[in-house]
């Protein structure tokens, strides 16, 4: 926390007050670094922790968060010291008197203050003692708290909301993350960072059971996602511990019985997570960008990864010169495109320090005509299979950027009536690498070779059987399985379930399937529903079976632009918080269903 300078004598008078770390409190930490130091601190700050309950916070704030000479504060007017409304360089836009300003309901800034969990309580299901731990729960303006919602903290580029003291909500420009973040003013960035570092230390053994919220790391060490850790360490260094933080730490210890070690010993952060090193080297240029698997409204991209002296944090994808999305891998599908339209794409790599590479080569792609269920998405004619051999073994080859593996297979056969190569599978299967663009239908030729009886092959998509492919010793015509309707990334597998039947496979093709091209789609539409629709209070609820098994939810606008991603969205509740989303029409897409909704 940065603050005004006190007159020299006043500062001198406070020195004795601030230096109140109990003798021996940090015994046993000498010589420790990294995860070992973090675990030792966890033991220290767990001992003595007294949980006074959620309502007890109101009483705690009487001594921990008052703007007065004892803290010391800014105006020293004995009002609540609120990180989201305090103006360090002038008069506050509004103030709250203790205890009369407690929320309550609110409509605007200045209506009331409530209890802001710097690490959202939804991530730990509002369980004790986290829900009432005063070391990371601050009194803040209700309206601003509501706007911050459960978004992680980061650097905002384009702001959708700005509070009266300059705190912002908007799109992240913190390296490594492009979702929505909340950014406090500079004077309190270090305070926020040290509270979160406290949380992932105090509760490190429980992190694996918490939601990540795009900030927590899901394991004891390092405890935070890389992008958030880098951002918080930078804030910790740029905004050093202030007299006010030290006084609050002492008051919190008197109230709750434990301390924030990163206020007492700021150097612990570097000893555990390392000292941030200035990185001025840009990543190398991404290469070999290509387009593939076009549908009527999407085109898939792939490229060769960049390298960096520290590490590549992600890639910005540009569509016709405008940023479309940021991804961490080297493949992506650009959706929401117009049919029969040509687009130009390039990608730029960036590292965690914000250094960016030059642009990759430009790759051009054209969407298919409209009115198709997705259009041709891929083909495999087996011309790239290994040299002809009668031995049954595992065969591997790559064509059209897809790697195929055939087990217990030979390469010297073809389907009668053609001279083309085919793959012949005995007690095995033919399986692709991961393919983007989804699949609506698949067409293939299959023929029984040598001895045996007629039968059928099993078609599996992502491990699930979706149909069967019949064969006889004389079959030479293609067979199509329709209405597979699997979106996103897929793996195609054709399995021979009949022992010792040897089946030649050739002329494989499939059509794409984009869930965004459908109004509301799922394997069982009746199994999922969303409400209310239109959304009026920034909360969207989902009803359905096995919600907790859904790994990811994404919100798109109707242009196909990705707005927000939620990991394990229904792990703790059936609600998605839409705060910060402007009025308009959107699509909620998960790995189980998709549906349109309106924000009113």
């Amino acid at each position: 926390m940065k603050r005004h300078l006190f007159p020299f004598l006043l500062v001198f008078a406070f020195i004795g007050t601030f230096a109140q770390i109990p003798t021996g409190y940090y015994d046993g930490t000498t010589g420790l670094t990294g995860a070992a130091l973090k675990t030792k601190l966890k033991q220290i700050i767990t001992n003595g922790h007294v949980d006074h309950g959620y309502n007890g916070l109101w009483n705690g704030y009487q001594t921990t968060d008052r703007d007065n000479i004892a803290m010391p504060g800014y105006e020293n007017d004995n009002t609540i010291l609120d990180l989201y409304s305090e103006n360090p360089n002038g008069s506050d836009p509004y103030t709250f008197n203790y205890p009369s300003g407690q929320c309550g309901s609110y409509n605007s800034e200045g209506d009331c203050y409530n209890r802001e969990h710097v690490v959202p309580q939804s991530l730990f299901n509002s369980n004790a003692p986290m829900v009432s731990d005063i070391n990371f729960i601050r009194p803040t303006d209700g309206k601003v708290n509501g706007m911050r919602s459960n978004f992680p903290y980061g650097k905002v580029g384009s702001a959708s909301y700005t509070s009266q003291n300059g705190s912002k909500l908007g799109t992240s420009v913190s390296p490594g993350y492009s979702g929505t973040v909340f950014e406090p003013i500079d004077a309190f960035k270090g305070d926020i960072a040290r509270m979160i570092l406290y949380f992932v230390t105090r509760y490190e053994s429980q992190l694996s059971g918490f939601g990540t919220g795009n900030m927590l790391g899901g394991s004891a060490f390092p405890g935070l996602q890389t992008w958030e850790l880098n951002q918080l360490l930078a804030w910790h260094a740029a905004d050093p511990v202030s007299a006010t933080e030290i006084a609050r730490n002492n008051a919190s210890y008197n109230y709750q019985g434990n301390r924030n070690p990163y206020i007492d010993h700021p150097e612990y952060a570097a000893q555990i997570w390392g000292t941030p090193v200035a990185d001025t080297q840009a990543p190398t240029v991404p290469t070999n960008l290509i387009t593939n698997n076009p549908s009527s409204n999407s085109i898939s991209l792939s490229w060769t990864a960049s390298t960096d002296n520290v590490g590549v944090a992600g890639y910005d994808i540009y569509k016709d010169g405008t940023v479309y999305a940021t991804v961490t891998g080297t493949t992506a599908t650009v959706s929401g495109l117009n049919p029969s339209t040509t687009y130009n794409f390039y990608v730029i790599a960036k590292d965690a320090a914000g250094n960016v590479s030059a642009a990759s080569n430009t790759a051009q792609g054209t969407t298919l005509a409209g009115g198709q269920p997705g259009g041709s998405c891929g083909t495999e004619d087996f011309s790239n299979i290994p040299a002809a051999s009668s031995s049954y073994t595992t065969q591997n080859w790559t064509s059209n950027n897809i790697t195929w593996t055939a087990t217990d297979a030979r390469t010297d056969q073809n389907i009668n009536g053609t001279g083309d190569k085919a793959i012949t599978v005995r007690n095995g299967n033919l399986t692709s690498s991961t393919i983007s663009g989804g699949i609506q239908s698949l067409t293939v030729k299959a023929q029984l070779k040598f001895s045996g009886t007629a039968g059928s092959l099993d078609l599996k998509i992502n491990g699930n059987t979706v149909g069967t492919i019949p064969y006889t010793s004389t079959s030479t015509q293609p067979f199509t399985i329709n209405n597979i309707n699997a979106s996103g990334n897929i793996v195609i597998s054709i399995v021979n379930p009949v022992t010792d039947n040897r089946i030649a496979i050739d002329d494989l093709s499939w059509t794409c399937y984009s869930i965004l091209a459908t109004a509301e789609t799922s394997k069982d539409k009746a199994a999922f529903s969303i409400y209310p629709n239109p959304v009026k209070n920034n909360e969207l609820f989902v009803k359905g079976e096995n919600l907790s098994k859904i790994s990811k939810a994404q919100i798109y606008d109707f242009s196909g632009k990705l707005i927000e991603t939620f990991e394990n969205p229904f792990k703790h509740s059936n609600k998605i918080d839409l705060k910060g989303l402007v009025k308009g029409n959107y699509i909620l897409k998960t790995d189980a269903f998709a549906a349109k909704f309106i924000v009113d």
Side-chain angles (χ1 to χ4, degrees):
M1 176 194 285
K2 295 177 182 153
R3 50 180 328 281
H4 300 309
L5 294 176
F6 285 100
F8 175 77
L9 290 178
L10 189 56
V11 172
F12 182 79
F14 283 138
I15 290 177
T17 302
F18 296 158
Q20 293 182 7
I21 304 173
T23 302
Y25 191 77
Y26 292 107
D27 282 357
T29 59
T30 302
L32 298 180
T33 59
L37 175 56
K38 183 169 178 284
T39 296
K40 181 61 180 178
L41 292 176
K42 181 259 191 303
Q43 296 169 356
I44 291 171
I45 63 179
T46 299
N47 293 333
H49 182 172
V50 178
D51 183 3
H52 291 290
Y54 190 42
N55 286 332
L57 291 168
W58 297 124
N59 295 326
Y61 293 152
Q62 181 175 1
T63 56
T64 61
D65 293 88
R66 302 286 285 279
D67 188 349
N68 57 36
I69 199 71
M71 285 303 294
Y74 289 87
E75 292 77 21
N76 296 325
D77 56 5
N78 211 36
T79 59
I80 289 293
L81 182 52
D82 170 17
L83 308 184
Y84 294 167
S85 64
E86 176 64 47
N87 178 11
N89 301 309
S91 299
D92 296 338
Y94 48 85
T95 57
F96 300 115
N97 292 312
Y98 179 89
S100 59
Q102 297 170 4
C103 290
S105 60
Y106 57 83
N107 293 306
S108 305
E109 282 193 56
D111 286 349
C112 59
Y113 70 93
N114 60 12
R115 296 158 290 189
E116 165 70 301
H117 293 75
V118 170
V119 177
Q121 59 178 312
S122 61
L123 302 187
F124 47 83
N125 206 27
S126 302
N127 287 328
M130 292 76 68
V131 74
S132 51
D133 187 339
I134 205 166
N135 279 315
F136 78 97
I137 307 173
R138 299 294 293 264
T140 62
D141 177 83
K143 173 64 175 180
V144 186
N145 185 340
M147 293 304 297
R148 183 258 162 155
S149 184
N150 57 3
F151 295 112
Y153 291 93
K155 184 71 175 174
V156 170
S158 176
S160 59
Y161 168 80
T162 302
S163 77
Q164 293 184 40
N165 87 329
S167 300
K168 294 181 288 187
L169 180 75
T171 303
S172 171
V173 291
S174 292
Y177 186 67
S178 59
T180 300
V181 294
F182 187 85
E183 180 182 359
I185 61 175
D186 291 346
F188 301 122
K189 286 177 177 174
D191 307 51
I192 294 292
R194 287 179 280 276
M195 284 187 279
I196 297 175
L197 296 181
Y198 162 87
F199 181 92
V200 298
T201 301
R202 168 64 179 87
Y203 302 107
E204 71 167 19
S205 62
Q206 296 160 260
L207 292 177
S208 62
F210 294 168
T212 67
N214 293 313
M215 60 185 292
L216 301 182
S219 60
F221 190 84
L224 287 160
Q225 295 188 12
T226 300
W227 79 270
E228 181 76 300
L229 177 60
N230 291 337
Q231 183 64 81
L232 296 180
L233 291 178
W235 285 356
H236 171 65
D239 176 26
V241 174
S242 69
T244 305
E245 279 185 275
I246 295 172
R248 186 183 195 274
N249 202 24
N250 292 331
S252 297
Y253 176 71
N254 291 333
Y255 167 77
Q256 186 172 280
N258 68 340
R259 307 179 66 83
N260 185 332
Y262 305 103
I263 295 175
D264 289 336
H265 289 280
E267 71 277 11
Y268 283 162
Q271 291 173 16
I272 293 172
W273 291 286
T275 302
V277 177
D279 178 11
T280 59
Q281 181 175 323
T284 60
V285 180
T287 56
N288 302 319
L289 175 67
I290 61 171
T291 61
N292 51 63
N293 296 340
S295 72
S296 60
N297 69 342
S298 67
I299 294 175
S300 296
L301 309 176
S302 63
W303 59 92
T304 301
S306 300
T307 60
D308 185 68
N309 63 320
V310 177
V312 176
Y315 299 87
D316 289 333
I317 299 171
Y318 285 78
K319 173 175 69 71
D320 290 341
T322 301
V323 176
Y324 168 80
T326 299
V327 299
T328 57
T330 57
T331 60
T333 298
V334 180
S335 303
L337 306 180
N338 296 319
S340 302
T341 303
T342 299
Y343 295 89
N344 293 292
F345 304 95
Y346 61 87
V347 296
I348 291 177
K350 57 186 180 183
D351 61 22
N355 302 307
V356 297
S357 72
S360 71
N361 61 292
T362 297
Q364 194 173 84
T366 302
T367 52
L368 302 175
Q372 301 181 52
S376 176
C377 208
T379 61
E380 174 55 37
D381 62 6
F382 302 94
S383 59
N384 289 341
I385 62 175
S389 171
S390 60
S391 298
Y392 288 92
T393 186
T394 298
Q395 311 285 351
N396 295 284
W397 69 96
T398 299
S399 59
N400 299 322
N401 295 303
I402 300 172
T403 298
W404 295 90
T405 300
T407 59
D408 197 28
R410 61 192 289 174
T411 56
D412 63 339
Q413 298 296 303
N414 59 53
I415 291 181
N416 292 345
T418 70
D420 296 337
K421 292 182 178 181
I423 193 74
T424 301
V425 176
R426 186 173 58 180
N427 299 324
N429 60 76
L430 169 69
T431 301
S432 72
S433 58
T434 300
I435 303 169
S436 60
I439 182 171
Q440 194 218 25
S441 64
L442 178 139
T443 300
V444 68
K445 292 179 181 178
Q447 185 183 65
L448 175 67
K449 309 301 293 186
F450 312 110
S451 61
T453 59
S456 62
L457 302 170
D458 292 334
L459 173 62
K460 294 187 176 183
I461 302 298
N462 296 335
N464 300 312
T465 301
V466 297
T468 57
I469 303 161
Y471 59 79
T472 66
S473 60
T474 59
S475 58
T476 60
Q477 298 303 308
F479 180 82
T480 299
I481 298 176
N482 290 306
N483 298 317
I484 301 171
N485 297 349
S487 65
N489 292 334
I490 61 165
V491 172
I492 297 172
S493 185
I494 298 176
V495 180
N496 183 5
V498 181
T499 302
D500 292 332
N501 266 6
R502 289 149 289 184
I503 313 302
I505 300 170
D506 196 8
D507 293 338
L508 173 64
S509 65
W510 61 96
T511 60
C512 293
Y513 181 79
S514 172
I515 201 163
L516 290 179
T518 64
E520 297 186 16
T521 311
S522 70
K523 289 285 185 178
D524 179 2
K525 286 185 64 175
F528 297 95
S529 61
I530 63 172
Y531 63 95
N533 196 2
V535 177
K536 297 182 181 294
N537 61 352
N538 296 314
E539 293 181 335
L540 180 66
F541 294 86
V542 176
K543 181 179 180 181
E545 296 180 358
N546 298 318
L547 284 177
S548 62
K549 295 182 179 179
I550 292 176
S551 62
K552 181 184 293 186
Q554 294 176 306
I555 295 176
Y556 293 82
D557 64 19
F558 269 32
S559 72
K561 180 181 178 182
L562 177 62
I563 305 298
E564 189 77 29
T565 297
F566 304 89
E567 301 292 341
N568 300 310
F570 309 115
K571 184 174 182 179
H572 299 297
S573 74
N574 69 329
K575 179 182 72 174
I576 290 182
D577 199 320
L578 303 176
K579 289 179 179 177
L581 208 60
V582 300
K583 293 182 178 180
N585 298 311
Y586 298 90
I587 295 172
L588 173 66
K589 177 182 179 293
T590 75
D591 43 13
F593 70 94
K596 291 184 287 189
F597 67 92
I598 301 170
V599 174
D600 197 348

